Amino acid sequence: MHVRDWKDVLSDVTESGADPDGWRAVAGHRKKGLGEELFIGHPDAGVYELKTYAKNPLEVRGVGSRVARRIDDDIEPLLPRRGDGDDGGRFAVQSPPSDEEHAKSMATRLEETVKVHAEAPTTPEDFFTDLMDAVDSPAFGPMEYEFDGRPDRLDELTEEFADADDLLSEDLEELIDEDEVGRGFQ
């Protein structure tokens, strides 16, 4: 397992070529210490774990790695599925527009999508999917997230990938110590 900067891991996700709406995620506070954890998975791209913290209000730092090459039968139930009813959230990984023309095209598609959904009966899931398609999101899907805690699935994923989790936690703690952040912002 190769521990890398969290932004590099997200680049792997966006460049994976996997079906964008096949991604699923679980996130929440770290079990011990400062920061958050995120597991993001796709049947064709595997499972990634990220650990991040806010160095200050404008800068997020962290580490991550691919922890599984595929989603097997043990991992499958630990990631939320679309339509489960218990996956109350959604997430998306975005890439910025390449230039001004691309940004204008994306804005036009986004506006047209909102208009179509305003005029026709639709589901929130369909609306979200169409919005992500309009902005060319390379990864999006259902997410289980607890703003002020940890979903049970996060604990189960952490246990499933205990060795990887320990390595990532060590590297994140080194970053936190280097930045002298402790329990507050620098």
Side-chain angles (χ1 to χ4, degrees):
M1 184 182 95
H2 183 62
V3 177
R4 301 178 321 166
D5 184 87
W6 72 285
K7 290 179 184 176
D8 293 337
V9 175
L10 283 182
S11 289
D12 287 354
V13 168
T14 62
E15 296 169 6
S16 71
D19 181 26
D21 68 346
W23 291 91
R24 302 167 340 180
V26 177
H29 287 280
R30 286 182 59 213
K31 194 170 203 165
K32 297 177 186 170
L34 182 68
E36 300 79 32
E37 305 184 52
L38 167 72
F39 281 89
I40 180 172
H42 190 286
D44 297 330
V47 179
Y48 296 85
E49 181 179 8
L50 300 155
K51 291 183 179 278
T52 61
Y53 71 97
K55 178 179 177 183
N56 59 52
L58 302 175
E59 184 178 357
V60 174
R61 296 198 54 194
V63 294
S65 184
R66 186 160 89 173
V67 295
R69 295 188 186 278
R70 64 182 182 86
I71 296 176
D72 63 21
D73 292 340
D74 292 335
I75 300 168
E76 172 67 32
L78 303 179
L79 295 169
R81 285 190 305 263
R82 192 163 292 168
D84 274 354
D86 62 348
D87 59 5
R90 303 284 179 265
F91 80 97
V93 177
Q94 293 299 127
S95 297
S98 55
D99 55 31
E100 188 174 336
E101 186 174 316
H102 183 221
K104 286 180 182 179
S105 170
M106 191 182 290
T108 300
R109 287 193 316 269
L110 183 60
E111 184 178 342
E112 290 170 1
T113 301
V114 171
K115 284 180 184 177
V116 166
H117 281 272
E119 296 171 358
T122 187
T123 67
E125 183 66 39
D126 290 338
F127 182 56
F128 176 76
T129 299
D130 289 348
L131 284 177
M132 293 301 101
D133 287 341
V135 296
D136 294 328
S137 178
F140 61 90
M143 175 180 209
E144 184 174 347
Y145 175 74
E146 286 188 20
F147 181 72
D148 58 355
R150 290 177 61 83
D152 292 339
R153 286 177 175 172
L154 187 54
D155 286 333
E156 293 171 20
L157 283 161
T158 301
E159 289 172 18
E160 180 74 26
F161 300 106
D163 292 340
D165 187 72
D166 289 344
L167 283 173
L168 289 170
S169 290
E170 287 175 22
D171 282 19
L172 186 70
E173 288 300 326
E174 286 178 19
L175 282 177
I176 291 170
D177 289 345
E178 282 175 24
D179 289 340
E180 298 178 346
V181 173
R183 288 269 175 211
F185 293 118
Q186 177 181 10

